[in-house]
């Protein structure tokens, strides 16, 4: 569809082509994290298996109730600093080719602060980072740091998974002789 074309173009114009199909999902809400996992798998992507070292490092600073397995659910009250630290770890994991960071706005955390933390945590990464700020369309002005950092943002995890799947297919096509 035209929508899918624009979603894929948004990713390819702003992020590196993924080296593979292994996706890490970072979220502050378990339900959307599971929906993102399902969407990734239904579009031919793999939900990455995190290394034991990555899981242990996440467990050192996330709440005990958080899930350090993929999808990484930091819980509803996750502060921006947790997004930044967790994203750095996920991007450093050799078994991860791309990261999808989801944010469901709770009462206590500002979306713009989380967007800025994602930009800091992913700065300079050779792996693509996609975002999904649920409840908003595209990248609103309040999330201008995402736009300036060239991180695509989607309204729903399914759109992000579909775009990432297209980018993986494009990367495979580029790798052919």
């Amino acid at each position: 569809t035209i929508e899918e074309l624009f979603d894929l173009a948004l990713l390819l114009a702003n992020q590196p082509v993924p080296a593979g199909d292994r996706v890490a999902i970072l979220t502050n809400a378990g339900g959307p994290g599971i929906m993102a996992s399902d969407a990734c798998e239904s579009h031919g992507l793999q939900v990455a298996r995190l290394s034991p070292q990555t899981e242990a490092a996440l467990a050192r600073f996330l709440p005990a109730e958080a899930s350090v397995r993929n999808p990484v659910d930091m819980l509803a009250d996750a502060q921006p600093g947790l997004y930044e630290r967790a994203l750095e770890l996920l991007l450093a994991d050799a078994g991860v080719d791309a990261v999808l960071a989801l944010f469901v706005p709770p009462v206590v955390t500002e979306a713009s602060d989380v967007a800025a933390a994602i930009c800091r945590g992913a700065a300079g990464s050779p792996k693509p980072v996609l975002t999904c700020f649920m409840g908003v369309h595209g990248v609103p002005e309040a999330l201008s740091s995402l736009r300036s950092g060239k991180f695509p943002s989607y309204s729903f995890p399914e759109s992000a998974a579909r775009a990432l799947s297209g980018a993986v297919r494009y990367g495979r096509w580029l790798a052919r002789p």
Side-chain angles (χ1 to χ4, degrees), residues 76-117:
D77 61 349
Q79 296 299 305
L82 295 182
Y83 270 91
E84 183 176 353
R85 290 174 68 187
L87 186 55
E88 289 171 345
L89 287 169
L90 294 175
L91 288 167
D93 190 309
V96 171
D97 297 313
V99 177
L100 172 54
L102 307 175
F103 177 73
V104 177
V107 177
V108 296
T109 306
E110 291 292 326
S112 58
D113 294 337
V114 171

Side-chain angles (χ1 to χ4, degrees), residues 91-156:
L91 288 167
D93 190 309
V96 171
D97 297 313
V99 177
L100 172 54
L102 307 175
F103 177 73
V104 177
V107 177
V108 296
T109 306
E110 291 292 326
S112 58
D113 294 337
V114 171
I118 289 171
C119 290
R120 289 189 304 271
S125 173
K127 298 176 183 180
V129 175
L130 296 80
T131 67
C132 177
F133 282 71
M134 297 188 65
V136 296
H137 184 69
V139 184
E141 267 323 298
L143 305 180
S144 60
S145 60
L146 288 177
R147 187 177 295 113
S148 63
K150 299 194 179 287
F151 296 102
S153 187
Y154 301 89
S155 298
F156 301 104

Side-chain angles (χ1 to χ4, degrees), residues 10-55:
L10 178 66
L11 172 58
L12 291 175
N14 291 291
Q15 289 290 292
V17 175
D21 61 1
R22 301 167 300 175
V23 183
I25 299 165
L26 180 63
T27 184
N28 69 334
I34 297 300
M35 295 295 291
S37 296
D38 291 346
C40 285
E41 289 179 354
S42 71
H43 289 288
L45 302 169
Q46 294 183 54
V47 176
R49 179 165 295 195
L50 302 178
S51 72
Q53 296 82 1
T54 298
E55 289 180 0

